[in-house]
Amino acid sequence: MWLTMRIRPVIASVAALILLCSCGGTETSTADSIDPSKLDSGNYPTAPVDVETLRTATSGELREALNIATNTPIPFEYDPRFGYGSFDGRKQFVTTETPPEFVDSGIGSRQFTKEIAGLVAGWYVLGYRRELPDLGRGIETYTLRFETPEFARLAAQKLTAGSPGSPIRIDGHPDAISKTTPLEPFHSATVRALLPHEDMLLYIQVSDSVSRPFDPVDSAAIAKRFLDAQVDRLKSYKRTPLAEIRNLPMDVDGMLSRTLPDSEPNSRTAVYPVRAAISMAKEPLAFGPAYTDAGVDYIVSRGGAFVYRARDEAAADRLSNAFDKKNKDDSGLLPADPPPNLPTAQCYSMDPNAKVTKNTPPSCRIVVGRYVARIGGANLQDTYQRTAAQYKLLVGAN
């Protein structure tokens, strides 16, 4: 599950929004019978907030990173064998506050902005052959924007200067700097490629910890398909002028202001385009079709809630049902009564007899017009109050 049981920012990762799978049936009561004034929302805010009060020094860079994410290929799109994604909740946006990590180059995230000049923003994607990453090949990609093409070119040179491996050719990309390393004890075999493209730097690493003997040819072919797909997608990337990035608006159509707030400032706070959310999922290939069918365009993760905007009310109902169908038998949840005076909510509490090691907090799911919201809390009563507050916030959003 995606919720932390201690009341600090309850959200561990936007990626987890696609991992959460509830159980239960469809709602049987309609919103027309609900009187918001009778809902107990405790001390949680129920009026939209001024999201500009949430702005941090890199909020604009995060918005630009999400623009890049919208124009970044997801591994299953260029190789359907890689149907699994992020598994550890790591951040996938790149800003000057959260720079990239190139371990083999000797330049970690803490040193990146000191060693590499001109970083603007970027996006990081993971893809795997198997649900357990160590059982098959893995893909890591970075799509990074720099201030100028020269900065991108110099970054590629510096990141490969001290990296191990022998040269390998990537068909169709003579300007790519690419290397391969063999399979060794405690180290996966790899094929890595860095390609400066205009003011962007494109990176892929295909790692293989299982193939014996290791043949780099197929991994090099995967690298080619990524570079082909990424270069093509960047044709649609509309760069925000550098001077305007810092002041990019944080909200989209009021979605952020109508989602439960975090208890403290959070560098992840943003409205996430659906492609960014899919690329952060543990099972992107499984959830992409459900989002497409429902016409989901944006998702917000804040304050223990995920809010999804679908095409219309019927599409929101289908998305809610899709979450039901994706439920795991070992989720560790049992159906629970809905909050008082909110019969349309589907709620779940922890199963004390479940043989699971993962955290499975109480949660509720509501549909309000074209919006689907999933809310969790420290306990069932807290979850009820959060759900009531989130309902009140969304009532005026349609």
Side-chain angles (χ1 to χ4, degrees), residues 68-88:
I68 294 170
T70 300
N71 296 281
T72 296
I74 304 171
F76 73 81
E77 294 176 326
Y78 53 88
D79 195 319
R81 295 174 294 179
F82 291 81
Y84 294 94
S86 180
F87 65 95
D88 61 359

Side-chain angles (χ1 to χ4, degrees), residues 276-287:
I278 292 173
S279 76
M280 300 173 77
K282 185 176 181 180
E283 299 178 67
L285 185 57
F287 272 87

